[in-house]
Amino acid sequence: MQVLATLISGLLFGCGLVVSGLINPAKVLNFLDLAGTWDPSLAITMAVAVVTTAIGYRLAFERGRPLLDSSFHVPAGNAIDGKLLVGAGLFGIGWGLAGFCPGPAIAALSIGSSPALTFFVAMLAGMAVARGVASSPNLTGVMR
């Protein structure tokens, strides 16, 4: 049942990305271009997402436990460290340059988007490099 719920949730999320235009890098880049061809329509998408998430979290945590598991699995850490800041910075730079972030890029793969494929391959390469840095005893201190 958990796998089916996960599949349905992922499909619903992907459909939301398609309907909102987030799989179109031009729309995203226009949203980020405040001094040029700014397109504020994605702000509506973000506002709806924030409200929906807030309501969803409130309802879910009031239940005391998830529907399909025995407990919530919430991250224990909340420290703002170098690893988080570098990761967030790289995410923002990549999003601003390519117009994709991971979710929309994967959704865009379903329509055969070659820019999404290029982004996806580069993302996988970046993940491999990050794992290599994280597991290297000589480079681990750099990220702390």
Side-chain angles (χ1 to χ4, degrees), residues 3-140:
V3 173
L4 181 61
T6 301
L7 175 65
I8 292 169
S9 297
L11 289 172
L12 181 62
F13 180 72
C15 287
L17 293 173
V18 171
V19 168
S20 68
L22 277 168
I23 67 166
N24 179 358
K27 186 168 186 73
V28 173
L29 292 173
N30 284 339
F31 173 72
L32 297 173
D33 187 6
L34 299 177
T37 57
W38 187 55
D39 177 1
S41 64
L42 289 182
I44 296 167
T45 300
M46 284 189 247
V48 170
V50 167
V51 169
T52 303
T53 300
I55 293 169
Y57 268 88
R58 175 100 186 205
L59 293 173
F61 282 109
E62 280 180 0
R63 288 192 81 253
R65 70 176 205 80
L67 290 173
L68 302 175
D69 204 345
S70 59
S71 65
F72 289 106
H73 303 279
V74 180
N78 60 3
I80 298 175
D81 57 4
K83 191 174 173 180
L84 175 68
L85 294 173
V86 169
L90 289 173
F91 178 91
I93 290 167
W95 192 39
L97 289 174
F100 280 120
C101 62
I106 292 169
L109 287 175
S110 68
I111 61 168
S113 168
S114 59
L117 180 60
T118 303
F119 175 87
F120 185 72
V121 170
M123 179 181 74
L124 292 178
M127 292 165 79
V129 168
R131 284 181 194 243
V133 168
S135 66
S136 171
N138 296 331
L139 297 174
T140 306

